[in-house]
Amino acid sequence: PEARGTSGGGGTGRRSWYRVPLDGDVSLHHAIDVGFLHGRATPTALVLADPRQTWPGRSDRRQPPPDTRWNPSTCEVGALVLSPLPRTGALLWRRQGLPSNSTALLPLPLPLGGALVVSDNALVWLDQVHSHGVALNGEARCEATPLVDGPPSLTLSLR
């Protein structure tokens, strides 16, 4: 971690910013989206990442060796606790096996909490202990949690 800059304000109680690398012990490579969990005593950042850098148009080029099967679940979410003193970040938990076409991470307010991972074919809610998913169509794949089929007349509105 590296501290730099000042936030100014002359005695407003603000601290200067600091950087927490996402490599090394944390090992969250190729971040897609970042959000902060609600209702935590210390700032906790969620990072949606795809370490293999796959996407639907390129998935056929990332074929594994012949003795293994193709994995459509390459994304992961890591919860990173940010400690203002001594300005460090530590990985609290990680959930791997999320859909490779995940595009967004939406932290949800309490009492539900956790976060919603949005992909082209599924919605996955997760927190430190639990995860649940809904398949939006027949192409949905997720290794992190079983996906239940939505009803045929499922209509979603994210407002």
Side-chain angles (χ1 to χ4, degrees):
E2 176 182 325
R4 287 189 166 174
T6 59
S7 60
T12 62
R14 293 184 179 174
R15 300 196 185 274
S16 61
W17 65 272
Y18 62 99
R19 180 176 58 140
V20 176
L22 296 179
D23 53 4
D25 293 338
V26 175
S27 186
L28 289 169
H29 298 285
H30 311 295
I32 297 169
D33 201 2
V34 177
F36 284 88
L37 284 176
H38 294 274
R40 303 288 298 208
T42 57
T44 304
L46 289 178
V47 179
L48 173 64
D50 187 356
R52 291 183 51 201
Q53 287 187 297
T54 57
W55 59 91
R58 188 174 163 94
S59 61
D60 63 333
R61 297 190 185 275
R62 294 285 185 159
Q63 293 296 324
D67 57 337
T68 60
R69 66 179 184 84
W70 178 72
N71 182 2
S73 302
T74 60
C75 286
E76 62 186 12
V77 168
L80 190 64
V81 177
L82 304 175
S83 177
L85 294 174
R87 296 184 177 199
T88 59
L91 189 64
L92 180 62
W93 56 269
R94 176 191 313 261
R95 186 69 47 85
Q96 297 175 317
L98 296 169
S100 59
N101 58 1
S102 297
T103 57
L105 180 71
L106 304 171
L108 300 174
L110 297 174
L112 183 60
L116 186 68
V117 176
V118 179
S119 77
D120 294 346
N121 305 319
L123 296 174
V124 179
W125 170 81
L126 50 87
D127 67 6
Q128 186 170 355
V129 179
H130 305 96
S131 63
H132 301 282
V134 175
L136 301 178
N137 58 41
E139 299 298 317
R141 305 285 181 272
C142 180
E143 291 186 359
T145 189
L147 298 175
V148 297
D149 291 333
S153 61
L154 176 67
T155 302
L156 295 175
S157 174
L158 300 175
R159 296 182 195 190

